[in-house]
Amino acid sequence: MRAGFPDFRLGSVLATSFTATLTERRGNAVERIPTPHRLVDWLAVNGLAVDSCTAAQLDLARELRESIHVAATAAAIQDALPASAVHVINDRSAEGRAAAILTPEGKRQWRLGSASCVEDALSVIAADAISIIAGERDGKLALCASPTCRAAFFDTSQSRTRKWCDMNTCGNRQKKARFNANQRKRSGSAE
């Protein structure tokens, strides 16, 4: 990892982890892929290693990220999917050359060819987004309850009632704020 950048928020769902490369969308936004090299880092951490990335490819990645976020948000609130977002996701999905392979552990893994480029990796992310937005996977899309975050995430908990995109960040922050507010109330009523 390159020093000086915010840590990645990594999850078990590729598409929503990708949208988490921009966090705190309704607060002080945190861009986790500010440079082409940082996108290369994120792709490598997620098993989609590519050799290089240009500024134009970073722009394509960010366009896909925002399209997934908009479409996933619409799906989570059971609204119509925005046509422009669907168009971008479909275009990125169709552009790449990647193959799904089966690991010895019985898991699906994506393999990019030896001459793979960012577009190939983006096609895998777009395909993952399509599978969750289309409802093909066991789970449901939800929105983070944090008022500054509101990230779309894929809830695979047994009850499907998860409130936070990440318990270690948004959930912890909200619980701490609630605790501090209760402490202030108790202090005020004790006087």
Side-chain angles (χ1 to χ4, degrees):
M1 289 297 151
R2 299 183 202 287
F5 292 110
D7 290 337
F8 295 132
R9 286 188 176 178
L10 301 174
S12 60
V13 178
L14 184 63
T16 54
S17 291
F18 187 56
T19 63
T21 61
L22 179 65
T23 55
E24 298 302 313
R25 291 169 182 269
R26 294 191 177 178
N28 294 323
V30 177
E31 176 61 74
R32 295 172 192 279
I33 54 168
T35 65
H37 291 296
R38 194 65 172 149
L39 177 59
V40 170
D41 290 344
W42 188 91
L43 292 170
V45 166
N46 286 280
L48 299 170
V50 297
D51 291 332
S52 64
C53 177
T54 66
Q57 289 171 320
L58 178 60
D59 290 343
L60 286 175
R62 287 180 176 160
E63 180 185 38
L64 175 61
R65 174 186 68 193
E66 296 312 301
S67 295
I68 294 170
H69 176 72
V70 167
T73 298
I77 61 173
Q78 299 177 345
D79 206 355
L81 300 179
S84 60
V86 169
H87 179 73
V88 169
I89 294 168
N90 288 340
D91 282 355
R92 292 297 97 71
S93 180
E95 285 176 351
R97 300 164 303 188
I101 61 166
L102 187 62
T103 68
E105 299 79 29
K107 305 281 185 188
R108 180 190 69 193
Q109 188 176 37
W110 290 98
R111 179 180 293 160
L112 304 181
S114 60
S116 288
C117 60
V118 170
E119 289 82 359
D120 298 331
L122 295 180
S123 75
V124 172
I125 297 166
D128 191 59
I130 290 167
S131 73
I132 63 171
I133 293 168
E136 295 174 347
R137 296 195 9 217
D138 189 27
K140 78 169 193 166
L141 280 163
L143 299 178
C144 183
S146 169
T148 60
C149 180
R150 301 299 290 161
F153 66 92
F154 196 62
D155 182 3
T156 57
S157 67
Q158 192 169 22
S159 64
R160 306 291 193 263
T161 57
R162 209 173 100 197
K163 293 172 72 171
W164 319 109
C165 65
D166 185 355
M167 190 59 211
N168 292 326
T169 53
C170 290
N172 195 25
R173 196 178 310 132
Q174 293 300 313
K175 284 184 169 189
K176 194 182 292 185
R178 194 169 43 241
F179 175 80
N180 290 337
N182 287 336
Q183 291 295 97
R184 283 191 298 274
K185 281 182 189 176
R186 286 188 192 126
S187 295
S189 64
E191 293 174 8

